[in-house]
Amino acid sequence: MSRIAYVNGQYVPHQEAAVHIEDRGYQFADGVYEVIPIVANKLIGEEGHLDRLWRSLDELQIDAPMKRKPLQLVMRELLRQNGIETGLIYLQVTRGVAPRDHPFPKDAVPSLVMTAKRTSLAKAEAKAEEGVAVITVPDIRWARRDIKSVSLLPNVLAKQKAVEEGAYEAFQVDDDGFITEGSSTNAWIVLQDGTLVTRPASNDILSGITRADLLKLLENKDFKVELRPFSVDELLNAREVFLTSSSSYVQPVVQVDGKSIGNGKPGSISNELRAVFKDYMNN
Ligand code: PDD
């Protein structure tokens, strides 16, 4: 089955999918995106992702390219045409095509593109069983990280550094020495007494849908949760560390900046939360 993408109202072969060189996404990173996981034909956290998409669009005063219901139909049709039951949808909206000039163009029509790809739950599971390494890097991003903008250069540089150092992710550190989040994930620690800590939603981080869904699932469980920034020192001395995202789900971290966390194996709480999240995705 050949891959199909969606570009401004049309389903086209993935290899031929293109937008104009004067699309403002291309020239100014003037756009927003979402990555939505699909497990066994279910769009995980769909409403949360769409709420966040609309919020990002509103914050940047970009008109929605279509109403919510038709957008949901397009996502499903794209999955159908690609024969995908488990995978990811990438959805991007930019301010549209206009002669290059910084102010908002008057008549630009927002561009909407979507791609879908298959992913392997077994691969994610294998990674979770092993755990991953992370490094820490300075957070050099702008002050509105709550907007899911396609302007991702600092995130790209952070992830590249992680890859070069043999790590899976880079946790970014603010000027006060506190972790903000990963380059494409949210960061969590488990304190020695079992308390879960993750940074509260604010302009400092992207409010992850996986993070929000996990927090909701935790409301019915016997865990103490603290929503507050945590320091690099707390990270290095945590009982457990894990990260969350639409592509990693709940992923245990077993090494930070070369130092083993706990006994260097995924911790029991991280494993339990991963199982809780898996259960939520499958039901
Ligand atoms: N990244 N923080 C950042 C900076 C992110 O880019 C992401 C998502 C997250 C986790 O959010 P969510 O749980 O909604 O996926 C946190 C996506 C997956 C990406 O850019 O590929």
Side-chain angles (χ1 to χ4, degrees):
M1 187 180 269
S2 60
R3 249 185 117 184
I4 302 293
Y6 175 89
V7 183
N8 291 323
Q10 294 194 311
Y11 298 91
V12 294
H14 189 269
Q15 281 190 328
E16 292 162 26
V19 291
H20 195 272
I21 55 164
E22 285 198 309
D23 188 284
R24 288 179 63 97
Y26 185 55
Q27 296 193 324
F28 293 112
D30 189 359
V32 301
Y33 75 106
E34 283 295 328
V35 177
I36 306 176
I38 298 97
V39 172
N41 292 312
K42 184 174 142 197
L43 283 85
I44 308 300
E46 180 177 10
E47 299 303 326
H49 282 282
L50 293 180
D51 287 349
R52 186 173 66 186
L53 174 65
W54 255 262
R55 180 180 182 282
S56 295
L57 290 169
D58 283 350
E59 290 292 333
L60 299 182
Q61 299 168 56
I62 297 174
D63 291 336
M66 62 172 70
K67 292 211 164 68
R68 192 158 164 140
K69 271 269 161 343
L71 188 73
Q72 289 173 296
L73 290 177
V74 172
M75 290 197 290
R76 282 163 177 78
E77 177 60 14
L78 188 67
L79 292 174
R80 193 191 67 75
Q81 291 201 19
N82 284 282
I84 290 174
E85 291 177 1
T86 293
L88 291 170
I89 287 182
Y90 176 81
L91 181 168
Q92 177 176 313
V93 182
T94 69
R95 203 179 300 278
V97 176
R100 188 180 182 280
D101 195 12
H102 288 63
F104 298 170
K106 278 209 168 55
D107 309 315
V109 178
S111 301
L112 169 62
V113 306
M114 273 186 227
T115 55
K117 71 171 181 188
R118 199 168 281 112
T119 56
S120 151
L121 281 182
K123 259 194 205 155
E125 202 53 45
K127 214 169 211 45
E129 272 166 28
E130 255 186 41
V132 294
V134 304
I135 58 165
T136 56
V137 297
D139 196 330
I140 59 170
R141 297 175 299 164
W142 72 327
R144 290 303 307 276
R145 302 154 188 161
D146 56 310
I147 300 171
K148 201 163 172 58
S149 147
V150 294
S151 173
L152 288 172
L153 205 41
N155 311 57
V156 167
L157 295 176
K159 190 79 95 190
Q160 178 60 22
K161 185 143 192 287
V163 169
E164 283 169 8
E165 296 192 14
Y168 178 74
E169 176 60 302
F171 282 178
Q172 300 166 98
V173 182
D174 69 17
D175 290 346
D176 300 317
F178 293 96
I179 307 302
T180 50
E181 60 187 329
S183 67
S184 64
T185 60
N186 288 116
W188 301 63
I189 56 171
V190 183
L191 302 181
Q192 294 301 333
D193 71 358
T195 304
L196 298 165
V197 185
T198 193
R199 195 165 174 128
S202 73
N203 292 354
D204 296 339
I205 63 165
L206 183 78
S207 179
I209 304 305
T210 319
R211 173 190 169 284
D213 287 350
L214 184 61
L215 282 172
K216 206 168 287 156
L217 293 166
L218 284 169
E219 285 171 9
N220 307 320
K221 307 254 169 231
D222 223 6
F223 283 105
K224 194 171 158 223
V225 180
E226 285 179 9
L227 295 180
R228 63 165 176 84
F230 57 86
S231 65
V232 174
D233 197 48
E234 284 185 286
L235 171 68
L236 288 167
N237 292 297
R239 176 164 138 189
E240 296 182 27
V241 177
F242 64 92
L243 52 83
T244 55
S245 81
S246 294
S247 46
S248 297
Y249 316 120
V250 175
Q251 169 64 53
V253 172
V254 294
Q255 202 187 82
V256 178
D257 287 340
K259 178 182 185 289
S260 284
I261 301 299
N263 62 2
K265 297 215 164 67
S268 59
I269 295 179
S270 307
N271 284 341
E272 182 183 342
L273 298 183
R274 183 173 175 87
V276 165
F277 200 76
K278 226 165 87 179
D279 203 46
Y280 153 73
M281 293 196 295
N282 284 317
N283 290 298

